[in-house]
Amino acid sequence: MKKQATFPWGMIFCLAIAPVYGQYYENVKPHAMVEKVTRLHFFYHDIPVGNNPTTVLIAQANITDNFFSPSPYGSLYAMNDPLTVGPDLTSTVIGNAQGMYIALSHDPAKFTAVFYADFGFTTGRFNGSSFSLFSRYPPTDYVPSPGTIREMAIVGGRGAFRMAKGFALLRATSSNATTGNASLEFNVTLYHY
């Protein structure tokens, strides 16, 4: 009889104490946050071959033979690409884009992928801040037409770009179909708090 009474009293005790110790939130009145707009301009350099590649193949489907097979469809790449103030790789480095992308084109003459990258800044006014890009790179010739502009989505950020949303407009400044090396000009518009 004593054992049967212990369980209900234990349950009553647990239920009574839960409201006291079970509160995991705090009622805070929201304050008005002012949305800021920041526009950034920089260059991104993707270098998959050479002595110091910035992009490496980390997985590939069994239908692809090598890094530049007739169709890189299903290949997954990790990247740590430099961001510079000018179009040349030798210009001042202001940060890097770290992330991954998966190639999605069955056509060997075209490149399309889904990208996830964190664009982090290591110098200047936005040192320590970053924004996140998660978007599809639309089908493009491996050697794109000059002036072709692509748009990608910005889905988050940290530091000065906390809660960022926005878009990036990309234009290829150089591209080599043989090596895969590419440089892109980025014009980014960020809405953040």
Side-chain angles (χ1 to χ4, degrees), residues 6-190:
T6 306
F7 180 73
W9 281 110
M11 290 299 293
I12 290 170
F13 177 75
C14 288
L15 292 173
I17 202 166
V20 176
Y21 294 105
Q23 188 172 355
Y24 61 89
Y25 61 91
E26 182 179 343
N27 289 327
V28 177
K29 293 183 181 181
H31 61 284
M33 294 174 49
V34 177
E35 187 175 66
K36 301 173 198 165
V37 178
T38 300
R39 289 182 177 80
L40 303 171
H41 179 256
F42 55 86
F43 293 84
Y44 160 99
H45 305 277
D46 191 43
I47 306 161
V49 297
N51 293 335
N52 192 19
T54 62
T55 299
V56 294
L57 177 67
I58 57 175
Q60 70 185 91
N62 61 7
I63 62 169
T64 53
D65 299 329
N66 58 41
F67 198 79
F68 293 105
S69 67
S71 173
Y73 177 75
S75 298
L76 180 65
Y77 302 89
M79 63 184 193
N80 185 7
D81 295 329
L83 306 176
T84 63
V85 293
D88 297 324
L89 187 55
T90 57
S91 63
T92 304
V93 175
I94 57 171
N96 57 353
Q98 295 177 322
M100 61 183 71
Y101 61 91
I102 186 165
L104 300 173
S105 180
H106 285 287
D107 182 353
K110 301 261 185 212
F111 174 77
T112 187
V114 172
F115 277 84
Y116 167 73
D118 185 74
F119 285 73
F121 296 91
T122 55
T123 62
R125 178 176 162 199
F126 301 116
N127 184 16
S129 298
S130 70
F131 65 85
S132 297
L133 182 144
F134 185 61
S135 193
R136 177 177 178 261
Y137 189 84
T140 305
D141 293 333
Y142 266 101
V143 181
S145 308
T148 302
I149 295 179
R150 304 289 183 216
E151 182 175 339
M152 297 179 82
I154 307 296
V155 296
R158 62 181 177 82
F161 305 131
R162 185 172 290 127
M163 296 177 62
K165 58 187 175 194
F167 59 93
L169 299 176
L170 292 68
R171 183 181 65 84
T173 56
S174 69
S175 181
N176 185 319
T178 305
T179 65
N181 291 354
S183 294
L184 301 172
E185 179 181 17
F186 269 72
N187 285 295
V188 178
T189 302
L190 296 169

